Amino acid sequence: MWNNDSQSRVIDRSFSLPAKRRVVFEYFEVVQIANTLLSVLVGILALALLIESTVLVLIFRRPPYILAEDSGYVMWRTTEVFRLRPDMVKSFLETMGSKMLTIQPGAYNLDSLAHHVYPHVIQALQQKVGQNESRIQRKVRQLWTFLEARAYSDPTPAYQSYRCFIVRAEKSFYEEQLNDSGNPETRATSSIVYYLFYLEQGRPTPENPWGLKIWGFRELDSELESKKIWDGSAGLGEEFK
């Protein structure tokens, strides 16, 4: 045994410590320190595991990166862009209709619509305007203003594969004439007109982000026919629900 005197000495030489036993763990203070350090280590490991699990969950939920050679084109990875929405139809009809049916004296070129209008439509329009030389000589300007569009189901079998829309627009003519005093003045006339547009829906491209192309259109000459078709049409919001 050992005593606690200032000068330690052995009082029982026959006492011996058990074999393979560490003296350092005989004291409670040392065991408590070791448990504290182990608790801190376990806490750090639990926090690291929580962070790692969070990172793995975020990586799993993130869309994968797709590496592709696109030559600088914008590519859509979701199907949202392929949905035909009312705002797309209105924007397309307003832009294309204004470009096709607004005619300035001596200036009428539809080459920029090659990706939005079929060639036979462009050719027919250019031929019709080119034949009307008197309008150019008399300096008559035709302005076309989009007002409203509605969806219409054309019963004609040949048109079943196209999306049909009836458009209400204002067509105005501005003509320069000489008054009684010999001074030039501009006279304006306008009227509300109705058109049927037949559109073909395809895949959006960088040149045609709408994914729509005009296959044909015609102006409704009869007021009775215009009213009948307009009353039988549906709003764009109801068509694309």
Side-chain angles (χ1 to χ4, degrees):
M1 296 292 295
W2 298 83
N3 63 1
N4 294 327
D5 297 340
S6 60
Q7 296 180 355
S8 299
R9 58 190 179 88
V10 179
I11 61 176
D12 187 0
R13 297 182 178 280
S14 64
F15 176 80
S16 61
L17 293 174
K20 298 181 181 180
R21 188 174 183 181
R22 298 180 180 180
V23 181
V24 68
F25 288 110
E26 289 289 329
Y27 300 96
F28 174 75
E29 292 82 0
V30 178
V31 176
Q32 186 178 14
I33 293 174
N35 290 338
T36 302
L37 295 177
L38 289 176
S39 299
V40 173
L41 179 61
V42 170
I44 294 174
L45 293 177
L47 180 61
L49 180 61
L50 178 62
I51 295 175
E52 182 181 4
S53 301
T54 304
V55 172
L56 290 176
V57 170
L58 294 177
I59 292 177
F60 177 78
R61 295 173 61 89
R62 184 178 59 189
Y65 293 107
I66 300 177
L67 302 179
E69 184 178 356
D70 56 10
S71 301
Y73 287 103
V74 177
M75 304 182 69
W76 295 275
R77 300 299 183 186
T78 64
T79 59
E80 182 66 25
V81 72
F82 295 97
R83 295 183 57 187
L84 193 60
R85 304 186 305 272
D87 58 326
M88 293 174 56
V89 175
K90 290 182 179 179
S91 175
F92 179 81
L93 292 174
E94 181 176 5
T95 303
M96 298 303 113
S98 178
K99 179 66 175 177
M100 292 189 304
L101 300 173
T102 296
I103 304 173
Q104 304 293 344
Y108 189 72
N109 190 345
L110 301 181
D111 294 340
S112 60
L113 302 184
H115 297 285
H116 309 88
V117 183
Y118 271 90
H120 66 270
V121 178
I122 295 178
Q123 184 178 1
L125 285 171
Q126 290 178 336
Q127 185 177 2
K128 182 178 179 180
V129 174
Q131 291 174 351
N132 195 357
E133 296 292 342
S134 61
R135 177 176 297 179
I136 298 177
Q137 293 173 1
R138 291 187 292 116
K139 298 182 179 179
V140 177
R141 288 173 170 82
Q142 174 180 307
L143 300 182
W144 190 88
T145 305
F146 174 88
L147 297 178
E148 189 179 357
R150 295 173 65 89
Y152 175 67
S153 179
D154 196 323
T156 307
Y159 302 148
Q160 294 298 313
S161 59
Y162 302 99
R163 287 188 174 269
C164 181
F165 299 92
I166 180 172
V167 174
R168 186 168 67 94
E170 180 183 15
K171 186 165 61 172
S172 305
F173 295 97
Y174 296 87
E175 182 179 359
E176 291 184 5
Q177 294 182 351
L178 298 178
N179 56 20
D180 298 336
S181 302
N183 298 322
E185 64 179 10
T186 301
R187 297 181 180 178
T189 58
S190 63
S191 60
I192 302 298
V193 291
Y194 293 85
Y195 293 83
L196 282 180
F197 281 84
Y198 298 92
L199 308 183
E200 184 179 68
Q201 185 179 7
R203 179 180 179 182
T205 62
E207 295 81 11
N208 184 358
W210 289 286
L212 298 172
K213 199 169 185 178
I214 297 178
W215 179 84
F217 78 101
R218 67 184 179 95
E219 182 178 352
L220 301 177
D221 299 327
S222 172
E223 183 178 352
L224 181 61
E225 182 185 12
S226 302
K227 186 178 185 305
K228 179 180 178 181
I229 294 179
W230 185 263
D231 294 341
S233 59
L236 297 182
E238 300 176 6
E239 172 71 12
F240 302 110
K241 281 184 178 180

